[in-house]
Amino acid sequence: MDKKVAEHVAEVLKTLAHPARLEIIELLETKEMCVGDIVTALGVKQAITSQQLNMMKDKGVLSCRRNGTKVYYRIENKSVIRLLHCIYDHCKTKKP
Amino acid sequence: MDKKVAEHVAEVLKTLAHPARLEIIELLETKEMCVGDIVTALGVKQAITSQQLNMMKDKGVLSCRRNGTKVYYRIENKSVIRLLHCIYDHCKTKKP
DNA sequence: TCGAATTATCACTATATAATAATATAACAC
DNA sequence: GTGTTATATTATTATATAGTGATAATTCGA
């Protein structure tokens, strides 16, 4: 693994390495959701949620569409779902 | 995924989310290595390497043994290897 | 016990990330 | 247009992480 690849992989991991962002991705795994519903589901403040959503959009993980006053987010990079499942498996099988 | 799980997963990801740490794990995938050899292989300063190694030991990813003046590090939590392979696959298949 | 080799730690600066509160913007109904 | 709902942005503070240079600690052999 050369430096460039390592930096890229580290970037991807940093994008996911936050509790709220992990929960957002899980919420969006099977459906798109508007910001307000995500805020409610997470119990996290609106500004923070908006910042995290925007951050993940910048990184290409999410995308969004506006419908009236609401903005619906969805997973743009589907392979993060598979990646997260690997990570959950890892965390389950870590101890033994 | 509840908050506790999300926080734990985020912790694991943060532990891996650094280029030098990723390279160290890759180096140690098949063998243990002493600090000096890791420093040489990475081309990263000794102090930084030592700090990263210690950090990953704290998190349970690595362990070490001393032999004379040298300290040999190895992967303690083998499942991170599988996890990293998932991540590499993800990064390869991301674009399409 | 002295010195060399190896690794760890410390104090510090720099930088990045997170969280907060307040405010701004966008879309729409009226 | 005005008011309302929904979302985004900004400025600020707090906190965490990274990197640096110097120094300390450990081990061993002479």
Side-chain angles (χ1 to χ4, degrees), chain A residues 1 3 42 79 86 90, chain B residues 1 3 26 42 79 86 90:
Chain A
M1 182 168 46
K3 300 282 181 203
L42 256 59
S79 75
C86 286
H90 163 86
Chain B
M1 181 168 47
K3 300 282 181 202
E26 192 179 45
L42 257 58
S79 75
C86 286
H90 163 86

Side-chain angles (χ1 to χ4, degrees), chain A residues 39-76:
Chain A
V39 168
T40 303
L42 256 59
V44 167
K45 294 193 178 173
Q46 183 268 325
I48 295 178
T49 304
S50 179
Q51 285 162 358
Q52 305 288 18
L53 288 168
N54 188 56
M55 181 271 216
M56 287 195 279
K57 185 156 71 86
D58 278 354
K59 301 282 189 177
V61 174
L62 304 182
S63 58
C64 64
R65 69 181 178 90
R66 180 180 277 278
N67 186 357
T69 60
K70 297 187 177 180
V71 176
Y72 290 85
Y73 280 84
R74 64 180 174 280
I75 293 180
E76 172 69 19

Side-chain angles (χ1 to χ4, degrees), chain B residues 39-77:
Chain B
V39 168
T40 303
L42 257 58
V44 167
K45 294 193 177 172
Q46 182 269 326
I48 295 178
T49 303
S50 178
Q51 285 161 359
Q52 304 289 17
L53 288 168
N54 188 55
M55 181 272 214
M56 286 194 280
K57 185 155 71 86
D58 278 353
K59 302 282 188 177
V61 174
L62 304 182
S63 59
C64 64
R65 70 180 177 90
R66 179 180 279 277
N67 186 357
T69 60
K70 295 187 178 181
V71 176
Y72 289 86
Y73 279 84
R74 63 179 175 280
I75 292 180
E76 172 69 19
N77 179 353

Side-chain angles (χ1 to χ4, degrees), chain B:
Chain B
M1 181 168 47
D2 79 340
K3 300 282 181 202
K4 290 288 179 196
V5 174
E7 278 170 26
H8 174 241
V9 173
E11 273 301 304
V12 172
L13 292 176
K14 272 202 293 189
T15 304
L16 305 180
H18 187 285
R21 294 196 291 270
L22 290 170
E23 291 194 75
I24 288 171
I25 293 171
E26 192 179 45
L27 280 175
L28 300 179
E29 187 167 333
T30 58
K31 59 191 179 304
E32 67 176 13
M33 283 177 75
C34 70
V35 178
D37 288 349
I38 296 171
V39 168
T40 303
L42 257 58
V44 167
K45 294 193 177 172
Q46 182 269 326
I48 295 178
T49 303
S50 178
Q51 285 161 359
Q52 304 289 17
L53 288 168
N54 188 55
M55 181 272 214
M56 286 194 280
K57 185 155 71 86
D58 278 353
K59 302 282 188 177
V61 174
L62 304 182
S63 59
C64 64
R65 70 180 177 90
R66 179 180 279 277
N67 186 357
T69 60
K70 295 187 178 181
V71 176
Y72 289 86
Y73 279 84
R74 63 179 175 280
I75 292 180
E76 172 69 19
N77 179 353
K78 296 289 186 188
S79 75
V80 300
I81 295 173
R82 196 165 52 78
L83 175 54
L84 276 190
H85 286 159
C86 286
I87 293 165
Y88 300 152
D89 287 349
H90 163 86
C91 289
K92 277 182 213 143
T93 62
K94 192 180 134 192
K95 301 297 160 55

Side-chain angles (χ1 to χ4, degrees), chain A residues 10 22 33 47 55 68 85:
Chain A
L22 290 170
M33 284 177 74
M55 181 271 216
H85 286 159

Side-chain angles (χ1 to χ4, degrees), chain A residues 3-22:
Chain A
K3 300 282 181 203
K4 290 288 179 196
V5 174
E7 277 169 28
H8 174 241
V9 173
E11 273 300 304
V12 171
L13 292 176
K14 274 202 291 188
T15 304
L16 304 180
H18 187 287
R21 293 197 290 269
L22 290 170

